[in-house]
Amino acid sequence: ASILIWALSYYPRNVELSQNYSSLKESVIDDPLLSEADQEMKLTEIGKTEEAEKLEKSYIGQIGHLMEPVLSPLGFDWKIGVSILTGLAAKEIVVSTMGVLYQADPESDNGQEGLAQKLRDQVHTSGNRKGQQVFSPWVAIAFMLFILIYFPCVAVIAAIKKESNWKWATFTMFYTTVLAWMIAFIVNKTGNYFF
């Protein structure tokens, strides 16, 4: 599942980007006023911006943007939507999906702390919350509750189908997902209203 998520986030590679990142990199390299350390820092920043834009325009980014209108009342952005979608296979995949989407480096010295910092730094890139932090405390609580309650993994649905029938399996899929959405909505809106 992680490999599939990576492939969906990597392709297509020939997307039209908002800027010519190659020329930006060349201008940094050709700038005589920048020290070597400053050049490296600016080149790294440009590279991260380029990869973030490619990710948003990838297949998985397109799927996430399709889901965003349903999830935005919960305070979720498109990356959270993609994580929820991949969690249908198994809920533990949500974390690995977030690691791929937020470009966390598992080989780095800080490992999971790197992902946690990237989650704290994440801001909305569109909509009426543009520029605001994605993971406020209430959004984080709503997200955790949503993950705990929504659609059980595929193995559980298969077991329900085997023990009863498709009607109960389908009912379980929809009921738990709607319940998770309502609880996440209530938690997020109540928390933001009173606190």
Side-chain angles (χ1 to χ4, degrees):
S2 293
I3 292 170
L4 178 64
I5 293 161
W6 170 83
L8 288 172
S9 66
Y10 189 77
Y11 294 105
R13 293 311 282 176
N14 57 349
V15 295
E16 187 176 324
L17 301 174
S18 64
Q19 300 181 56
N20 185 345
Y21 290 101
S22 298
S23 66
L24 283 175
K25 290 175 185 175
E26 287 175 19
S27 68
V28 168
I29 292 170
D30 294 339
D31 190 346
L33 300 175
L34 292 175
S35 68
E36 197 172 308
D38 288 339
Q39 282 182 346
E40 281 298 317
M41 186 176 71
K42 286 189 179 269
L43 289 174
T44 301
E45 187 178 309
I46 291 170
K48 286 181 180 180
T49 305
E50 180 181 17
E51 284 305 311
E53 188 174 349
K54 285 181 180 178
L55 181 64
E56 189 166 356
K57 293 183 177 184
S58 69
Y59 293 129
I60 206 159
Q62 294 170 27
I63 293 168
H65 282 293
L66 286 174
M67 295 174 60
E68 199 168 20
V70 175
L71 298 174
S72 63
L74 309 177
F76 299 173
D77 70 346
W78 66 272
K79 291 179 182 180
I80 295 174
V82 169
S83 299
I84 289 169
L85 181 66
T86 59
L88 298 178
K91 292 188 180 189
E92 56 272 12
I93 294 177
V94 170
V95 175
S96 63
T97 301
M98 293 180 89
V100 171
L101 292 176
Y102 290 100
Q103 301 172 343
D105 184 8
E107 303 298 322
S108 68
D109 294 337
N110 54 3
Q112 287 299 325
E113 290 178 26
L115 176 58
Q117 186 59 46
K118 286 183 182 258
L119 294 177
R120 282 190 289 274
D121 295 343
Q122 189 66 27
V123 294
H124 286 278
T125 57
S126 62
N128 60 352
R129 297 188 64 209
K130 185 175 182 175
Q132 294 179 6
Q133 188 178 17
V134 173
F135 283 96
S136 69
W138 294 108
V139 169
I141 292 168
F143 180 56
M144 288 186 284
L145 288 171
F146 191 96
I147 296 299
L148 288 171
I149 299 168
Y150 89 119
F151 189 105
C153 68
V154 175
V156 171
I157 296 300
I160 292 171
K161 187 258 178 205
K162 184 177 180 181
E163 295 297 324
S164 57
N165 57 38
W166 273 113
K167 288 180 186 177
W168 279 110
T170 305
F171 173 77
T172 302
M173 290 186 291
F174 287 106
Y175 171 73
T176 56
T177 303
V178 170
L179 180 65
W181 192 96
M182 290 187 322
I183 289 174
F185 180 82
I186 290 168
V187 165
N188 185 36
K189 295 302 179 191
T190 305
N192 286 327
Y193 183 75
F194 288 111
F195 301 103

